[in-house]
Amino acid sequence: MKTEGQQLEMFLTVEQEQAIQEYLNNYDFHFRNNKGDVEKKHQVLVENGFIEGVHFENTFTFEENVTETVSLGGRWYGVEEFETEVTITKYQGGIFLLHDIVDGEDGTNKIIKKSTTFYLTSSGKIECSSIVGSFRPVKPATMLRKIAELNESAKDRLVIVNRKDNHFDNAIEKLEFEFPNSVSVEKGSEWVRTYNLRNSYTVDVVTVKFEDGSYIQYNVNSFSGEISINKVYDVETEKLTLQDKVNNLKNRLS
């Protein structure tokens, strides 16, 4: 990497030249550190049977002699902030492990590769909590096995997700037929709060909404497709006072 710096103004002070050189030195250090880290990880993975594009991806690229404008200095750097042009080796990307997940963001459930960060230990073990489930470093062979297990789990997950979606689609179709006067029948999420807030969670529900603001919320069993009522909100009932409810009860029982 070239150690060049040229202020957009005509002259540089000694302090500005020092700030530029410090920036270039730091940038060069990080570039070389990242490049070396990627090369070492790539070597370890390949030597232990990892296949690029299947078990890992390497997106690290760099371009030499790139000139760009940067802002240096400032109140915490002992020199007034200024802009300058520097010529550097521009780099981006890295090396990541890959494992399968189920993705449905575009409305179609499918298995895709997900990239995840990992680290090498001095003993050649690999640390990747998102695959192993903990920060415990494991041998490369163990990591390969963990990736294979996640990939098989993704296949099972795809079957479950597709079955669940089919049950919800059927429930929506059935409820639309049952409530032709509804303004919408939609799948959504309901927050379930437990005594321990940390254990609270969300569940998928189907909500039938009516023009006056009333709605009925249904649970749909993900395995059997059974539909059950979760909540009913009736605008007219909510308007009743306690005395109205007492009067209704007295009239019903008299």
Side-chain angles (χ1 to χ4, degrees):
M1 180 181 71
K2 289 186 178 181
T3 55
E4 298 180 5
Q6 180 179 358
Q7 191 182 11
L8 298 183
E9 299 176 358
M10 185 63 67
F11 301 105
L12 293 170
T13 67
V14 173
E15 290 79 9
Q16 288 172 334
E17 289 179 344
Q18 290 175 343
I20 293 171
Q21 192 59 52
E22 182 178 353
Y23 173 84
L24 293 171
N25 290 342
N26 287 337
Y27 192 96
D28 184 62
F29 171 80
H30 288 295
F31 162 66
R32 295 182 185 280
N33 187 60
N34 277 271
K35 183 172 181 291
D37 181 64
V38 168
E39 291 172 346
K40 182 178 180 181
K41 287 179 176 177
H42 188 278
Q43 180 181 358
V44 169
L45 294 178
V46 171
E47 288 179 350
N48 285 277
F50 289 73
I51 301 172
E52 187 166 358
V54 178
H55 303 117
F56 75 95
E57 66 174 353
N58 187 349
T59 63
F60 186 81
T61 59
F62 64 90
E63 181 182 359
E64 297 179 333
N65 300 321
V66 176
T67 300
E68 62 182 24
T69 301
V70 296
S71 179
L72 302 176
R75 60 181 297 187
W76 305 112
Y77 297 92
V79 59
E80 187 175 347
E81 185 174 354
F82 66 100
E83 288 189 339
T84 187
E85 287 185 348
V86 294
T87 301
I88 58 175
T89 298
K90 194 77 172 178
Y91 66 95
Q92 62 181 358
I95 187 166
F96 309 91
L97 292 179
L98 296 174
H99 66 88
D100 292 347
I101 63 168
V102 175
D103 175 76
E105 288 189 2
D106 61 358
T108 303
N109 298 322
K110 57 186 179 298
I111 293 178
I112 64 170
K113 293 290 184 184
K114 179 181 179 181
S115 61
T116 184
T117 303
F118 70 101
Y119 305 94
L120 288 181
T121 67
S122 57
S123 61
K125 291 185 177 181
I126 303 174
E127 179 186 314
C128 182
S129 61
S130 61
I131 292 178
V132 176
S134 71
F135 293 99
R136 177 176 60 90
V138 298
K139 295 179 180 180
T142 302
M143 185 61 70
L144 268 178
R145 178 171 55 82
K146 291 289 186 180
I147 291 175
E149 290 172 354
L150 279 181
N151 292 348
E152 285 301 313
S153 178
K155 294 177 184 178
D156 296 336
R157 174 66 178 165
L158 181 61
V159 173
I160 294 172
V161 169
N162 283 334
R163 180 176 59 198
K164 177 181 177 180
D165 285 353
N166 288 335
H167 287 327
F168 271 86
D169 289 341
N170 292 335
I172 290 172
E173 183 178 353
K174 180 179 179 179
L175 293 170
E176 285 176 336
F177 180 80
E178 184 176 350
F179 299 100
N181 295 327
S182 62
V183 295
S184 68
V185 181
E186 298 177 339
K187 178 183 177 182
S189 296
E190 174 74 1
W191 176 253
V192 179
R193 181 166 182 166
T194 63
Y195 176 76
N196 185 347
L197 186 60
R198 296 177 62 182
N199 293 330
S200 297
Y201 57 96
T202 60
V203 294
D204 291 330
V205 296
V206 175
T207 303
V208 181
K209 296 182 180 179
F210 301 93
E211 190 172 358
D212 66 352
S214 300
Y215 64 84
I216 309 171
Q217 198 174 79
Y218 292 89
N219 293 320
V220 180
N221 188 289
S222 299
F223 294 95
S224 66
E226 180 183 358
I227 303 172
S228 59
I229 298 173
N230 178 58
K231 182 188 297 184
V232 177
Y233 179 83
D234 184 344
V235 171
E236 294 302 320
T237 299
E238 293 299 320
K239 291 179 181 178
L240 295 177
T241 65
L242 291 177
Q243 187 60 52
D244 291 332
K245 294 178 181 180
V246 170
N247 293 339
N248 288 342
L249 182 60
K250 290 169 63 177
N251 291 335
R252 191 173 78 244
L253 297 178
S254 61

